[in-house]
Amino acid sequence: MTRTNEHSKRFAIFSSGRGSNFEAIMKAYQEKRLTHTPVVLFSDRTDAEVIGKAKSFGLPVECLEKDPTESRQTFDKRIWSVLEMYRPDYLVLAGYFKILSSWLIQKFQEPKHEVSRILNIHPSLLPAFPGLHSYQKAFNYGAKVTGVTVHLVEEGVDQGPICAQEAFSIQECKSHEEVENAGLKVEHELYPKTIEWVLSGAYILTVNEVRGQRRHCVRPS
Ligand code: GRF
C-alpha cells in the first residue's frame, strides 16, 4: 500500500464515522492524484463504518475511545502514543468529531512559522455555520448558496487559515439531505486536491490587513 518518494509526506487520517472523505482520499492516492502517503487511519469510535473501509484498502487502523473522565489532552497523548510509530508529518481530519487539544495542535505546528500541519474539511463556507450539522443549518436558514471549506487547524472550533473554498447553489434543494448529497460530491473532489498542494508546500500564508489581520493560505499561481 505504501508508496513513498523523497518529497512525499506521510499523513494520518482521523475519522469518527462514515468515511466517505476517507474513501475519496484513498482513491486519489491509488490513482496517483495524491502523491503523499496515508500511513494510518485513526478513529475514536470502535463501531465506525470507516474502519471497515480502511481495512479494505489495507491501511493500518488504530482506534481508541475517549474515557468520559479523561481530559482532551490526556486522550490526545494516548492517541499520539499509538500514532507516533507511523511518523506522520501531517494530520488530515475527515469527519473527526472530537475537538483537538492545544497539546496536539502545538505538536503539529512548524516551530519557525507557526504554521499548522493539521488539515480539516468543514461543510460550510466558514465562518458561516461552524460546528455540527452545517448543511442542515444552511438549509434551515434559507441560504441560497452554501459550500465547503478546507482549512489549517488552529485552536478554537473550525478556526484556522482557509486553504480552499467552493460554493454551490442550494436554491433548488428540497431537503437538507439534498444539500448534503450535493456537498459531499464537492468535498470528495476538493479535499484530495487541496491535501496535494498543501502537503507539497505549494502555498504561502499571507496576512491581508483589509481582512482584519486574518492569515489565509494562498496557492501561488
Ligand atoms: C463531512 O461532511 C465533513 O465535511 C464533515 O463531516 C462529514 C464527514 O463525512 N467534517 P464522511 O465521514 O467523510 O462521510
Side-chain angles (χ1 to χ4, degrees):
M1 185 69 213
T2 310
R3 191 179 66 227
T4 45
N5 64 51
E6 62 179 308
H7 303 296
S8 176
K9 299 281 189 232
R10 300 166 63 84
F11 63 97
I13 306 173
F14 280 41
S15 169
S16 302
R18 180 178 53 192
S20 69
N21 277 286
F22 169 82
E23 253 182 318
I25 294 165
M26 294 304 292
K27 279 195 188 134
Y29 178 68
Q30 279 184 331
E31 292 165 9
K32 302 192 166 80
R33 286 178 285 123
L34 191 51
T35 61
H36 303 286
T37 309
V39 289
V40 61
L41 168 80
F42 173 75
S43 186
D44 61 318
R45 296 278 308 267
T46 47
D47 59 352
E49 210 181 318
V50 68
I51 293 175
K53 292 182 176 171
K55 288 184 178 159
S56 70
F57 278 102
L59 189 73
V61 174
E62 297 290 352
C63 189
L64 290 175
E65 293 207 351
K66 184 173 178 297
D67 185 298
T69 59
E70 77 186 326
S71 68
R72 250 182 232 151
Q73 176 165 322
T74 310
F75 181 52
D76 284 353
K77 283 187 171 168
R78 278 208 292 134
I79 296 174
W80 183 243
S81 70
V82 296
L83 293 194
E84 198 171 9
M85 68 172 182
Y86 297 95
R87 297 179 286 107
D89 302 301
Y90 280 79
L91 304 183
V92 167
L93 311 185
Y96 184 63
F97 299 130
K98 289 254 178 328
I99 296 171
L100 301 184
S101 64
S102 315
W103 180 83
L104 191 57
I105 291 173
Q106 279 162 23
K107 194 158 202 50
F108 278 83
Q109 278 188 345
E110 301 280 354
K112 226 165 128 194
H113 308 292
E114 294 181 355
V115 177
S116 170
R117 282 182 285 113
I118 307 176
L119 275 173
N120 183 41
I121 186 157
H122 182 78
S124 76
L125 294 173
L126 288 173
F129 309 120
L132 296 175
H133 311 301
S134 305
Y135 288 133
Q136 187 166 358
K137 285 178 189 161
F139 178 75
N140 292 349
Y141 198 87
K144 304 293 181 210
V145 165
T146 190
V148 173
T149 302
V150 179
H151 65 98
L152 301 177
V153 173
E154 291 183 346
E155 292 192 38
V157 177
D158 300 320
Q159 293 284 327
I162 289 175
C163 305
Q165 279 188 316
E166 196 166 318
F168 56 93
S169 168
I170 58 171
Q171 288 205 74
E172 307 300 325
C173 292
K174 307 228 166 359
S175 64
H176 66 84
E177 287 88 354
E178 267 187 50
V179 176
E180 177 167 5
N181 289 338
L184 284 170
K185 281 194 190 132
V186 174
E187 294 187 29
H188 300 161
E189 286 295 313
L190 188 67
Y191 209 12
K193 272 198 293 197
T194 310
I195 294 168
E196 178 63 19
W197 65 260
V198 173
L199 271 60
S200 301
Y203 69 88
I204 42 175
L205 275 177
T206 65
V207 176
N208 184 330
E209 285 176 21
V210 181
R211 295 181 182 204
Q213 299 288 350
R214 282 194 64 83
R215 293 186 306 162
H216 57 119
C217 192
V218 181
R219 189 177 184 180
S221 46

